[in-house]
């Protein structure tokens, strides 16, 4: 019987497991790196153990440290969550050898499915359809997919559309896979351009329905739903049968997921992989089948599992992953302090969050802040409800993919069930609410805040002048400039009527429509929220030290991270688009390229260096 459980993971999944443990009366233990010390999950646990450092290799991936934490706290069981050591057969064996309960499948099952190459051979023998890898990648049809054998989550995966790019993409995939999973083995298979990602949840060899996870960016899921829409009864039954056979082939125990690539044009599907752990998207299955998958994991781990089949799905559930990233900048990960993090909790809404207001988002781990899930009687109802809640969320301090998620949920193709892995390529990320007056609201709130902070002449209106010769101007770092007038008669701005203005809220009327903008100021950063949208501005300083100006041609770090490699030398000639260096942030590698042809006049960093966003990495003096 499990009495005290250590979760060998962090953030959202640790909080999720702790929630079930509390309901079952099981004591909990958290482990945390230095960067994670202030996250909510640490305080939610009964006991917490610090793992000194930040890099995954020296904290959450260190088997000896995790087992020592279990021993020090008297934990008698370990739950691995997902990612990190969750699909590491050696870790599972070490847990069992230490006399602890392992909340997961047997090490043999993990090993059998741990290599995607070997797993395909096993599935082929079990009669499960597999996507055959080309004998010679250079002689097969394009596009191709380079894929890490030992991992997932979009890391170690690259689409190749030109054969001349194949060698470079294989090298990049190997580097990402080695960094994320400790195994740089990759393989190549045909890439199905508009396929769907459909998966089946199993517990033991029992099938707990299916999910669609087709809406992805960089081969990582961002929207998941259950049940998978638009499948015929025959296809759904065949998928469930294939998943059942896959689980039987490895004598599976506990919760796992069998993933398939589905071609809706031919109604064919192929085995992709089996995740021998709990999936990120497990909440949608829990909501439609009214089941707690973590509780079933704990039950199976204690040898109390009796195989059964769940009731049919009730209603529809959709989950979105809220990431600290900028979709407009090629999904560059973001870091910083969440000065505000509020997602409305309404009927039918579930929020599994790893962060809260005041939490620090670091560059050391995955960029996911939270999962927001909606459950409703119909798919359209779930999408509508989820989009509404997301549009009313207030998230300040870092850029997120919130607006893109709302655009997906309201996209006509998504609502018709026409989902595919390339949907984001064509989805319109434009905001659904006008934002023409957001900057004006920010400027007036700043003026009101400045007026309220005066120590003298507090009775004089903001920006009052005896003779009005010109407007006041508020400038922001994105180039936005707001011209406004103040005085005894109140404020005036171009294009709108100022109905009311205060340091925290401004109401403007434009084209007969009145909108109230909520404004939050933290230092030079101004966050503006209004129905359905959000904008963030940074006020430009009025006086700039010339020493702070960067040289023309400077390549700036697009995000905080670690320099993985430098591809050029000082004095070297480069062409437009040529790789200059590679950064790693939040488990992904990002190539910084030369903006145009020229000469590398400076290299300011070396491999292994930690850099901040906006830091000068190199200078390329462009050719005339």
């Amino acid at each position: 019987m499990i009495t005290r459980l250590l979760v060998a993971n962090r953030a959202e999944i640790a909080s999720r497991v702790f929630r079930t443990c509390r309901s079952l009366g099981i004591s909990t233990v958290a482990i945390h790196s230095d960067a994670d010390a202030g996250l909510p999950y640490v305080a939610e646990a009964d006991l917490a153990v610090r793992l000194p450092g930040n890099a995954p290799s020296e904290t959450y991936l260190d088997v000896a440290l995790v087992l020592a934490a279990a021993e020090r706290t008297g934990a008698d069981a370990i739950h691995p969550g997902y990612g990190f050591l969750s699909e590491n057969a050696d870790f599972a064996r070490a847990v069992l050898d230490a006399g602890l309960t392992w909340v997961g499948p047997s090490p043999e099952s993990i090993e059998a499915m741990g290599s995607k190459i070997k797993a395909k051979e096993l599935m082929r023998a079990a009669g499960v359809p597999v996507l055959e890898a080309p004998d010679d990648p250079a002689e097969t049809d394009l596009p191709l997919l380079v894929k890490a054998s030992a991992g997932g989550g979009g890391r170690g995966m690259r689409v190749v559309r030109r054969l001349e790019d194949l060698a470079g993409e294989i090298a990049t995939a190997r580097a990402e896979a080695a960094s994320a999973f400790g195994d740089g083995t990759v393989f190549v298979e045909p890439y199905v351009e508009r396929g769907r990602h459909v998966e089946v949840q199993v517990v033991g060899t029992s099938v707990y329905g299916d999910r669609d996870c087709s809406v992805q960016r960089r081969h990582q899921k961002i929207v998941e739903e259950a049940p998978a829409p638009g499948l015929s009864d025959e296809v759904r039954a065949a998928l469930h049968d294939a998943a059942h056979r896959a689980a039987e082939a490895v004598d599976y125990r506990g919760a796992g997921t069998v993933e398939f690539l589905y071609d809706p044009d031919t109604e064919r599907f192929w085995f992709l992989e089996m995740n021998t752990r709990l999936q990120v998207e497990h909440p949608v299955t829990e909501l439609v089948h009214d089941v707690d998958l973590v509780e079933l994991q704990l039950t199976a781990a204690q040898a109390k599992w009796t195989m059964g089949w769940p009731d049919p799905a009730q209603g529809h559930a959709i989950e979105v992953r809220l990431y600290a990233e900028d979709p407009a900048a090629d999904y560059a990960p973001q870091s910083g302090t969440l000065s505000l993090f509020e997602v409305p909790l309404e009927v039918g809404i579930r929020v599994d969050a790893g962060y809260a207001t005041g939490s620090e988002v670091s560059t050391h781990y995955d960029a996911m802040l939270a999962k927001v899930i909606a459950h409703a009687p119909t798919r359209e109802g779930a999408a509508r409800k989820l989009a509404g809640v997301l549009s009313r969320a207030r998230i300040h301090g870092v850029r997120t993919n919130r607006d893109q998620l709302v655009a997906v949920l309201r996209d006509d193709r998504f609502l018709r069930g026409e989902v595919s892995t390339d949907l984001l390529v064509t989805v319109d990320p434009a905001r659904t609410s006008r934002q023409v007056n957001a900057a004006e609201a920010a400027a007036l709130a700043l003026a009101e805040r400045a007026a309220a902070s005066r120590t003298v002449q507090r009775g004089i209106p903001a920006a009052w002048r005896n003779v009005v010769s010109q407007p006041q101007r508020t400038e922001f770092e994105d180039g936005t400039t707001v011209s406004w007038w103040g005085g005894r008669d109140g404020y005036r701005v171009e294009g709108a009527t100022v109905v009311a203005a205060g340091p925290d809220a401004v109401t403007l009327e434009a084209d007969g429509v009145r909108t109230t903008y909520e404004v939050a100021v933290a230092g030079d950063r101004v966050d503006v929220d209004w129905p359905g949208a959000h904008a963030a501005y940074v006020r430009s300083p009025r006086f700039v030290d010339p020493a702070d100006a960067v040289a023309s041609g400077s390549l700036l770090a697009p995000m905080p991270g670690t320099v993985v490699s430098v591809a050029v030398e000082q004095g070297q000639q480069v062409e437009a688009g040529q790789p200059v260096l590679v950064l790693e942030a939040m488990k992904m590698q990002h190539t910084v390229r030369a903006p145009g042809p020229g000469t590398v006049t400076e290299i300011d960093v070396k491999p292994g260096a930690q850099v901040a966003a906006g830091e000068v990495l190199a200078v390329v003096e462009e050719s005339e």
Side-chain angles (χ1 to χ4, degrees), residues 79 81 86-87 103-106 109-110 113 199-211 221 243-244 246-247 250 252-260 271 273-282 285 293-294 296-297 300 305:
H79 191 299
S86 63
E87 294 179 280
V103 183
S106 69
S109 294
I110 297 174
M113 291 297 188
E199 60 189 32
V200 179
Q201 175 72 54
V202 297
V203 180
T205 59
S206 301
V207 172
Y208 275 70
D210 46 76
R211 302 183 286 255
K221 308 161 190 172
H244 174 69
V250 292
Y252 200 75
R253 182 188 68 190
T257 296
V258 187
E259 302 192 354
F260 299 94
F271 171 83
E273 62 184 340
M274 182 174 186
N275 295 128
T276 52
R277 53 168 169 81
L278 196 66
Q279 289 281 86
V280 177
E281 58 270 22
H282 74 274
T285 295
L293 290 173
V294 174
L296 293 184
Q297 284 186 297
W305 171 250

Side-chain angles (χ1 to χ4, degrees), residues 216-296:
Q216 303 177 6
R217 60 98 174 97
R218 288 186 169 178
H219 312 292
Q220 191 166 39
K221 308 161 190 172
I222 63 168
V223 180
E224 301 111 339
E225 56 183 309
L231 298 183
S232 67
D233 291 342
E234 294 76 16
V235 168
R236 199 180 304 274
L239 282 164
H240 291 189
D241 179 65
H244 174 69
R245 281 185 279 140
E248 280 191 325
V250 292
D251 190 25
Y252 200 75
R253 182 188 68 190
T257 296
V258 187
E259 302 192 354
F260 299 94
L261 182 64
Y262 171 63
D263 184 350
D265 294 333
T266 63
E267 294 197 324
R268 297 177 61 198
F269 62 84
W270 303 271
F271 171 83
L272 282 177
E273 62 184 340
M274 182 174 186
N275 295 128
T276 52
R277 53 168 169 81
L278 196 66
Q279 289 281 86
V280 177
E281 58 270 22
H282 74 274
V284 293
T285 295
E286 292 185 322
L287 290 174
V288 298
H289 289 289
D290 192 24
V291 65
D292 184 330
L293 290 173
V294 174
E295 183 176 354
L296 293 184

Side-chain angles (χ1 to χ4, degrees), residues 118-143:
K118 295 179 180 178
K120 282 192 172 187
E121 296 173 356
L122 188 62
M123 292 301 97
R124 192 181 295 110
V128 178
V130 298
L131 197 60
E132 299 293 349
D135 294 330
D136 184 352
E139 295 180 2
T140 192
D141 292 333
L142 294 169

Side-chain angles (χ1 to χ4, degrees), residues 460-465 468 484-492:
I460 298 177
W464 180 82
R465 291 176 174 177
V468 179
W484 55 275
W485 293 261
R488 285 186 295 237
D489 297 329
Y491 293 102
R492 287 189 298 118

